[in-house]
Amino acid sequence: MADEPTPTADLIRAQLRRMRATAGLSQEEYGKRAHYSASMVSAVELGQRPLDEVYLARADKVFGTGDLFVSLLKLAARDGEPTWFRPWLEAERAAKQLRCFEPMLIPGLLQTEDYARAVIRGDVTLTDDEVNALVASRLARQAILDREHPPQVTAVLDESALHRFTEESATVMAGQLTHLITFARQPNVSVHVIPTKVGLHIGLSGSFVLARSDDGGWVGHLDNQLGGTVVDHTEEVEVLLARWESVRNVALPTWQSVELIEEVMKPWTT
């Protein structure tokens, strides 16, 4: 039986160690040049912390490797992406506009690392390595928001997504909602909350995302317990666009949504 191919992330870590050693740098010396602690450098090289674009961009700068490590990170992210998800990722990466609706969770593109990890760890069948890979992949997707010309993102979520506070999760949730408010104040992101008093609405049937490309065409994506489905048939996309209008119409404007989020956070942050 042929050996399993080495995951791209492992190859990146091995190359980081090799280039650091070739340059005659200790972890502490390299960390000073890249503006990281020696413990952070060690954690990344040992796979105890997920790779991220900022860390690897600094590595490219220190080693003079152009954008080699950043490009490899994109391949590493794909290692953990199931085949069924890749068509949607291509649409997401090329999107000029994204419309996200979530009835129970914070949208993936707006999640913090701690929140994403807590959500993904809800699947008890995953190993620690699998959790780390999925978290790294989710964070890597968020790089589209840091581009010079990022997509316009409109996120609508039900108020129930804000009320996941428990004594154990308070720090994670407070951090996530603070992060959400920060995004809501960016020019390319708008966040809208459907308040509980709205009652029943069509969005409670499930989450979905719509991506608009350069040519004006729309593609949708539906999540479910076993994976997800790309929606690209005209009639089905039109249904999702109509559902979008329905949930957007009952959601609060951004400024009121931010006020509501702050009100939800207050008992857990004072």
Side-chain angles (χ1 to χ4, degrees), residues 4-131:
E4 289 292 323
T6 303
T8 307
D10 289 347
L11 292 175
I12 292 174
R13 293 188 183 95
Q15 190 69 2
L16 286 170
R17 290 192 296 269
R18 188 190 71 79
M19 295 194 73
R20 178 176 58 74
T22 300
L25 298 173
S26 66
Q27 290 180 338
E28 183 175 0
E29 290 168 334
Y30 170 77
K32 288 179 180 178
R33 295 191 184 190
H35 308 293
Y36 284 106
S37 65
S39 60
M40 169 67 87
V41 175
S42 176
V44 170
E45 292 184 356
L46 292 174
Q48 296 170 348
R49 183 175 178 84
L51 298 165
D52 64 62
E53 188 168 349
V54 173
Y55 186 96
L56 293 180
R58 292 182 186 176
D60 279 326
K61 185 174 182 179
V62 171
F63 297 129
T65 47
D67 62 352
L68 173 63
F69 284 114
V70 171
S71 298
L72 287 174
L73 179 62
K74 296 176 182 177
L75 295 179
R78 291 182 69 107
D79 285 348
E81 295 163 1
T83 303
W84 57 261
F85 197 42
R86 291 179 183 174
W88 168 251
L89 288 174
E90 296 300 326
E92 185 180 73
R93 289 166 183 154
K96 297 300 180 184
Q97 185 177 0
L98 288 163
R99 295 176 174 179
C100 315
F101 172 71
E102 277 285 356
M104 303 298 292
L105 298 170
I106 306 302
L109 286 177
L110 305 180
Q111 291 179 2
T112 63
E113 179 177 346
D114 288 341
Y115 181 89
R117 188 176 302 280
V119 171
I120 291 170
R121 279 198 182 280
D123 184 347
V124 296
T125 67
L126 296 175
T127 66
D128 287 345
D129 286 344
E130 288 170 333
V131 169

Side-chain angles (χ1 to χ4, degrees), residues 170-190:
T171 299
V172 171
M173 283 300 300
Q176 174 59 72
L177 297 190
T178 300
H179 185 70
L180 189 62
I181 291 171
T182 299
F183 267 110
R185 290 172 173 155
Q186 292 185 7
N188 66 304
V189 179
S190 56

Side-chain angles (χ1 to χ4, degrees), residues 159-178:
E159 184 181 345
S160 59
L162 309 178
H163 291 279
R164 299 294 170 187
F165 282 92
T166 64
E167 293 295 341
E168 294 76 17
S169 68
T171 299
V172 171
M173 283 300 300
Q176 174 59 72
L177 297 190
T178 300

